Amino acid sequence: MSGALSHIRVLDLSRILAGPWAGQMLADFGAEVIKVERPGAGDDTRSWGPPFMQGSDGQSSEAAYFHAANRGKQSVAIDIASTEGQELIKALVKVSDVVLENYKVGGLAKYGLDYESLKTINPRLIYCSITGFGQDGPDAHRAGYDFMIQGMGGLMSVTGEPDGMPMKVGVALVDVMTGLYAANAVQAALLSRDQTGKGQHIDLSLLDVCVAALANQATNYLASGESPGRLGNAHPNIVPYQAFATEDGHIILAVGNDQQFTRFCEVAGKPELACMEAFQTNRKRVENRNALIPLLEPLLRKRTTQTWLTLLAEVGVPCGPINTLEQVFDEPQVVHRQMKVSLSHKQAGQVPSVANPVKFSETPIEYTQAPPILGEHSEQVLKCLLNIEGEDLETLCNQGVIQRG
């Protein structure tokens, strides 16, 4: 069965995480994604370990980091700094629908591989550029990394304990969100192209994405003029909505409305709390957070985490455990939803991967290939798409323009 984007070919010139995440999403949706890498080293994240991926046969392959964002792609190793390599890229652009790149602003122009140059040879091209700060503005030429963007973009100012150090999120969340925005934008541009016949340039920056993803925290500030602070695991607009210590661990209590609060108080043996004027509505509970939370904390400590999970589930009060990753992949719901899959790798046999969360009814995602080894598909792609083979292929290899896996 063909994927939803099986008619689309993507030339992925990106590396690290944001661009490759977008490319992997498009590959999961069925697009043919050709990952162009530097001969010799390839994507930097191939060596970002330990840990390195261990296959079913005990052999190790690339870093687990690389495997997180490059499933389902073909790897072609081309030296774009060479004239011959640039011509190969241009030839591939002619037969591609999308280019993904995350070079510094102007970085590809010196090779003739920028949007303005490539749209002349393929006017239908969708060209997505991902940078730290965007294609224009006073910081456009600065390099941007997820950690520093989480700080500059305000995410760290609302993450962490109130009296502790501002904290980043435990994964490179801005990179991941930028990849998701990029995949969405590419698909929107492809739909537009269906109507107009014209391609376009997509300009995405990590900083813009971080600001946009502040969601209610950003609009809270815009509405009030007051910068929200750090609340640890608490919520700025809902109370009680945070983590609490239990008799043997912790639990997340996520009370979303007044009825749920009433039911929680009944289970906790303190129904009178829900009747007190100061706590009757969410608005009141937010205003009186500092009075309510100390009353709830000793109640939660009286029972184990599992006891609370069972009792609150019975009355429909949202709650949950704080799992380690080992516990995550043992969760019955996660197992049922098949969020761990096994992929075939050329060197390491079968390797694990985290499934895509999107479930299509008519074009289900097919997990056919693990992230490729460097240059694994160089010969195949150049032969099938550009009719380069035999002596011409050997010459390119001998000159160092391409590398075969």
Side-chain angles (χ1 to χ4, degrees):
M1 182 178 293
S2 297
L5 297 180
S6 60
H7 59 298
I8 298 299
R9 180 176 294 127
V10 178
L11 204 57
D12 185 356
L13 306 182
S14 67
R15 65 272 189 215
I16 314 298
L17 187 53
W21 196 265
Q24 179 171 270
M25 179 67 72
L26 298 172
D28 282 349
F29 290 174
E32 177 187 358
V33 179
I34 300 171
K35 183 178 179 68
V36 178
E37 303 183 72
R38 294 173 298 166
D43 189 314
D44 295 348
T45 62
R46 285 183 179 275
S47 60
W48 279 16
F52 291 90
M53 191 63 75
Q54 297 291 323
S56 57
D57 59 0
Q59 293 191 43
S60 63
S61 59
E62 301 84 1
Y65 197 117
F66 177 79
H67 278 250
N70 291 285
R71 172 180 60 229
K73 303 178 185 180
Q74 302 174 70
S75 174
V76 177
I78 299 177
D79 178 14
I80 68 170
S82 67
T83 301
E84 297 83 358
Q86 293 157 21
E87 292 304 311
L88 289 176
I89 297 297
K90 291 175 182 177
L92 289 171
V93 166
K94 290 180 181 179
V95 294
S96 296
D97 300 284
V98 178
V99 166
L100 297 174
E101 62 94 4
N102 61 352
Y103 284 75
K104 292 181 181 179
V105 174
L108 288 176
K110 61 183 177 182
Y111 303 132
L113 301 179
D114 56 309
Y115 175 64
E116 292 301 321
S117 299
L118 295 183
K119 74 175 184 179
T120 62
I121 64 176
N122 184 354
R124 291 173 55 82
L125 183 67
I126 308 301
Y127 189 106
C128 182
S129 297
I130 298 173
T131 57
F133 298 93
Q135 298 294 307
D136 49 34
D139 290 331
H141 287 85
R142 293 180 60 187
Y145 296 90
D146 180 277
F147 186 11
M148 59 181 284
I149 297 298
Q150 286 196 35
M152 290 186 68
L155 186 57
M156 289 178 63
S157 76
V158 295
T159 307
E161 293 296 331
D163 55 354
M165 180 182 291
M167 297 296 292
K168 68 178 181 67
V169 181
V171 296
L173 188 61
V174 177
D175 274 342
V176 171
M177 290 189 297
T178 301
L180 295 176
Y181 269 102
N184 275 333
V186 164
Q187 292 172 89
L190 288 169
L191 289 173
S192 175
R193 189 184 70 175
D194 288 344
Q195 300 297 315
T196 66
K198 296 181 180 179
Q200 60 180 299
H201 185 212
I202 299 168
D203 171 11
L204 261 175
S205 89
L206 299 182
L207 182 60
D208 291 351
V209 168
C210 188
V211 173
L214 290 174
N216 60 296
Q217 292 283 36
T219 54
N220 286 349
Y221 163 72
L222 294 175
S224 68
E226 298 180 5
S227 293
R230 299 186 301 281
L231 293 173
N233 287 314
H235 195 288
N237 304 114
I238 311 172
V239 175
Y241 195 102
Q242 64 184 75
F244 288 91
T246 64
E247 183 181 301
D248 63 347
H250 294 84
I251 188 174
I252 292 172
L253 184 62
V255 172
N257 58 52
D258 300 335
Q259 293 74 29
Q260 291 174 1
F261 182 64
T262 297
R263 295 198 295 273
F264 165 75
C265 292
E266 291 172 350
V267 172
K270 288 287 185 178
E272 63 271 20
L273 284 177
C275 299
M276 295 176 63
E277 183 178 351
F279 309 138
Q280 282 184 340
T281 66
N282 181 70
R283 178 169 183 166
K284 287 291 186 178
R285 292 193 295 275
V286 172
E287 293 172 351
N288 297 290
R289 179 197 305 267
N290 292 337
L292 176 60
I293 298 305
L295 297 177
L296 300 184
E297 288 174 332
L299 299 178
L300 273 299
R301 288 196 182 97
K302 291 181 177 180
R303 292 167 174 162
T304 66
T305 296
Q306 188 56 53
T307 299
W308 279 117
L309 292 174
T310 301
L311 293 174
L312 294 177
E314 290 174 353
V315 297
V317 174
C319 61
I322 300 176
N323 285 336
T324 65
L325 291 192
E326 180 180 4
Q327 292 169 323
V328 167
F329 286 102
D330 284 339
E331 272 280 351
Q333 184 66 18
V334 174
V335 173
H336 175 80
R337 298 286 288 179
Q338 298 179 314
M339 287 304 298
K340 177 182 175 181
V341 295
S342 181
L343 302 175
S344 177
H345 188 271
K346 183 176 181 179
Q347 289 181 335
Q350 294 294 310
V351 295
S353 187
V354 181
N356 193 299
V358 177
K359 313 292 185 184
F360 290 106
S361 65
E362 299 300 324
T363 55
I365 293 171
E366 297 180 354
Y367 301 98
T368 58
Q369 181 184 307
I373 65 172
L374 179 61
E376 180 175 344
H377 305 92
S378 294
E379 184 171 351
Q380 172 187 329
V381 168
L382 295 182
K383 178 180 178 180
C384 295
L385 297 184
L386 304 183
N387 295 316
I388 297 175
E389 53 186 318
E391 291 185 5
D392 292 335
L393 188 66
E394 291 301 323
T395 298
L396 291 172
C397 288
N398 294 334
Q399 293 176 340
V401 176
I402 68 168
Q403 175 182 335
R404 290 182 286 196

